[in-house]
Amino acid sequence: MEIKELTTFKTIVEEGTFSLAAKKLNYAQSTVTTHIKKLEKELGFLLFERGWDARLTDEGALFAEEVDNLLTHWDYSISQAQRISKEETGTLKIGLLESAAEKLIPTILQYLHNEKPYIHCDFVVGNTALLSQLLEQNQIDFAVCGNNRNNSHVHFTPLGMAQIEFFVDDPHHPILHKESVEISDIIEYPIVIGENRCYYSRSVNAFLSEHNLVFKRVYNCSALHLIPRMVFGDAIGIIPKGTSLRPSNITFQVKGFDPQMPIGILISSRKRNYLSQTKQQIMKLIQSSLE
């Protein structure tokens, strides 16, 4: 029993004769007759009384009600499938720097909720080293982070420059009384900063090396959002701009410190030419958000 045979049966009932049904369905009348004979054989009873007009038998009348319900559900199922097929489905996995996550996640989720309701999204928050590793292992689709020049299997599209903020948690901190703060002025204070693999931590350390300097006491934390809470006494915190600060945190500038830290989209070189429509749209959304 096939849908086309049931459709033929329903059309005969609606049109009243085999010939009118054949015309409506654009079938030869012999095809319509074949469909009905096949149905009757499978069902084991006659659907129509023999004659010019298609008069239903008692059994045929009962079967017509069931067929009507069945085809109505079938049409609904097809319409649902067609609607879903127009949308991409599955799970999207996006890697984000912690400093970018707070800004980008709500924007991405709002877009998916409004435009792609059948897509689930997983966010992985980490530093550039971790995200590029996950990308190479095919555990994320793409990442918003720094450029990992040590990995030849990824492609980087720069979208802007990341900045670094220095801050304290004491309004009476001696560093705030200086008219101009040099990098050498802060090395004697305890420093709270991200782990050494962090993109921005490496930039800070590179700047120190250029000036032949090292921090005396360093406390590392991989969770950047905790650093504003960790700064104590005369300690100085160093975080990427975009990381949420506490109301009590006070930022200051370090003279001459302007690291060149491009931030952008990192994606597998093998996959960047095979992006789904949703990935392309989200990348455009990220680009407009970071510009």
Side-chain angles (χ1 to χ4, degrees):
M1 189 180 301
E2 297 181 10
I3 291 296
K4 63 181 180 180
E5 295 163 3
L6 297 175
T7 301
T8 297
F9 172 70
K10 181 181 178 182
T11 305
I12 294 171
V13 174
E14 291 173 344
E15 297 300 313
T17 67
F18 280 46
S19 59
L20 289 176
K23 184 177 180 181
K24 183 174 183 178
L25 295 170
N26 199 26
Y27 285 161
Q29 188 164 336
S30 59
T31 301
V32 171
T33 302
T34 299
H35 285 179
I36 297 305
K37 286 183 177 180
K38 187 176 179 183
L39 269 178
E40 290 177 335
K41 182 178 180 180
E42 290 185 44
L43 293 169
F45 56 80
L46 294 177
L47 294 169
F48 297 98
E49 295 179 358
R50 294 308 181 239
W52 182 82
D53 58 339
R55 184 178 299 176
L56 288 167
T57 62
D58 292 340
E59 294 87 349
L62 292 173
F63 185 67
E65 293 180 8
E66 296 298 325
V67 168
D68 189 62
N69 292 333
L70 176 62
L71 291 179
T72 298
H73 182 72
W74 174 260
D75 289 340
Y76 172 79
S77 299
I78 291 296
S79 67
Q80 288 293 94
Q82 289 174 340
R83 184 168 69 89
I84 292 172
S85 70
K86 294 177 183 177
E87 300 285 346
E88 295 174 77
T89 59
T91 299
L92 183 63
K93 297 181 180 180
I94 303 175
L96 296 170
L97 287 177
E98 191 169 338
S99 56
E102 187 173 349
K103 180 178 182 179
L104 293 178
I105 287 178
T107 303
I108 293 171
L109 289 180
Q110 190 64 55
Y111 168 77
L112 292 175
H113 176 73
N114 293 337
E115 304 294 335
K116 304 290 181 178
Y118 300 104
I119 290 184
H120 174 75
C121 191
D122 289 339
F123 295 101
V124 179
V125 178
N127 58 43
T128 295
L130 172 64
L131 296 178
S132 60
Q133 180 182 350
L134 293 176
L135 190 63
E136 190 171 9
Q137 295 171 351
N138 201 34
Q139 295 186 42
I140 57 176
D141 295 303
F142 63 88
V144 178
C145 58
N147 187 11
N148 189 343
R149 294 184 176 86
N150 298 323
N151 190 338
S152 60
H153 299 298
V154 296
H155 176 79
F156 181 71
T157 302
L159 299 178
M161 301 299 291
Q163 296 176 305
I164 291 174
E165 287 190 315
F166 296 82
F167 68 94
V168 295
D169 200 54
D170 179 4
H172 303 295
H173 197 292
I175 207 74
L176 299 178
H177 299 298
K178 299 182 71 67
E179 291 186 6
S180 177
V181 180
E182 305 280 348
I183 191 68
S184 58
D185 294 328
I186 71 172
I187 62 173
E188 298 295 333
Y189 295 100
I191 300 296
V192 185
I193 192 171
E195 61 178 333
N196 291 327
R197 292 196 310 162
C198 282
Y199 191 45
Y200 88 100
S201 294
R202 294 203 307 266
S203 297
V204 172
N205 290 328
F207 186 71
L208 286 170
S209 297
E210 290 175 8
H211 293 78
N212 298 313
L213 299 171
V214 293
F215 291 132
K216 305 300 182 185
R217 287 171 292 168
V218 178
Y219 302 95
N220 299 101
C221 180
S222 61
L224 301 185
H225 68 280
L226 294 179
I227 292 179
R229 298 176 177 273
M230 293 172 59
V231 172
F232 60 94
D234 60 354
I236 294 174
I238 306 177
I239 54 174
K241 192 171 184 178
T243 307
S244 293
L245 290 167
R246 303 176 71 191
S248 58
N249 297 149
I250 305 166
T251 62
F252 62 92
Q253 300 291 322
V254 173
K255 184 179 179 180
F257 184 76
D258 186 22
Q260 296 300 303
M261 296 195 311
I263 185 174
I265 294 177
L266 198 67
I267 191 167
S268 168
S269 299
R270 298 183 293 271
K271 292 185 175 181
R272 67 190 183 101
N273 294 325
Y274 301 95
L275 296 173
S276 68
Q277 181 186 25
T278 296
K279 290 176 187 176
Q280 293 179 47
Q281 291 297 326
I282 290 180
M283 287 181 179
K284 290 179 181 177
L285 188 66
I286 290 170
Q287 182 174 357
S288 63
S289 298
L290 293 180
E291 287 179 346

